[in-house]
Amino acid sequence: AGWAGAAIRLKQLAAAAQKEITVCVIEKGSEVGAHILSGAVFEPRALNELIPDWNDKGAPLNTQAREDRFLLLSVRRAYRLPTPPQMHNHGNYIISLGNLCRWLATQAEEAGVEIYPGFAAAEVLYDDSGGVLGVATGDMGIGKDGQPTANYTPGVELRGRETLFAEGARGSLTKKQIGRAHV
């Protein structure tokens, strides 16, 4: 969901500055949210700042967290402990992250963000001085033998003035970028 918030915020900042920008997102899943299967307890402060009228727009935040239980589990029983202050969930929501991602993608598209699901970034493109030019998607339609099939489609290069990597700290391209920064 981080990429959607970043994309929406970029469009908001451009509109406030009366500038027109193109924001393009590639999503490796067949649809937005396809790789996000877990639930979460969601603290809506950032969403309040990004989309203040999220409730009126139908954000999938339907179940408020009503009670906290912090337990120490033993073999035979559970001992209730005081809930640490940072673990209080008053005002938070129990959500499906996949549903939130899909809803945020809809909001991003309404803001003018172009989203292309089904395309994974395979490599970072660099200029001669080592600056990031963009990314290239991987070839599609490669058989198990490594040869192109009848459905072969070559990857494409996506170049921009700015490239934001929002694949998470464990993303392969993010790891490469972090490695380059520490050289």
Side-chain angles (χ1 to χ4, degrees):
W3 66 258
I8 291 167
R9 189 65 184 135
L10 287 170
K11 291 298 271 188
Q12 289 173 341
L13 290 169
Q18 298 181 340
K19 300 211 177 205
E20 186 65 35
I21 65 167
T22 300
V23 177
C24 170
V25 174
I26 57 172
E27 163 62 46
K28 71 180 174 183
S30 59
E31 67 176 8
V32 173
H35 291 273
I36 309 292
L37 301 175
S38 65
V41 176
F42 182 75
E43 195 267 305
R45 183 177 6 169
L47 188 58
N48 290 336
E49 293 173 9
L50 184 67
I51 306 171
D53 58 344
W54 58 262
N55 196 28
D56 295 335
K57 292 184 173 188
L61 278 66
N62 303 316
T63 306
Q64 280 197 309
R66 303 218 187 279
E67 181 182 358
D68 292 310
R69 288 189 189 170
F70 199 74
L71 304 172
L72 173 65
L73 304 177
S74 74
V75 173
R76 292 204 169 96
R77 69 181 284 217
Y79 298 93
R80 187 154 186 188
L81 301 174
T83 302
Q86 66 272 26
M87 303 285 288
H88 284 281
N89 286 302
H90 177 75
N92 296 343
Y93 293 83
I94 301 164
I95 66 162
S96 158
L97 283 174
N99 288 344
L100 180 62
C101 288
R102 282 185 279 282
W103 180 82
L104 281 169
T106 301
Q107 301 306 302
E109 287 177 322
E110 288 177 8
V113 174
E114 299 172 29
I115 303 172
Y116 299 100
F119 293 95
E123 68 176 295
V124 180
L125 303 174
Y126 300 99
D127 63 20
D128 293 335
S129 66
V132 174
L133 289 173
V135 296
T137 64
D139 295 342
M140 297 173 65
I142 303 292
K144 291 180 182 178
D145 61 358
Q147 298 301 312
T149 67
N151 297 325
Y152 175 75
T153 305
V156 296
E157 290 186 358
L158 299 164
R159 296 174 179 240
R161 278 190 19 220
E162 303 293 333
T163 302
L164 174 66
F165 294 89
E167 60 179 356
R170 296 184 183 181
S172 59
L173 298 181
T174 299
K175 283 182 181 179
K176 289 178 185 174
Q177 288 302 103
I178 291 170
R180 286 177 58 94
H182 293 290
V183 174

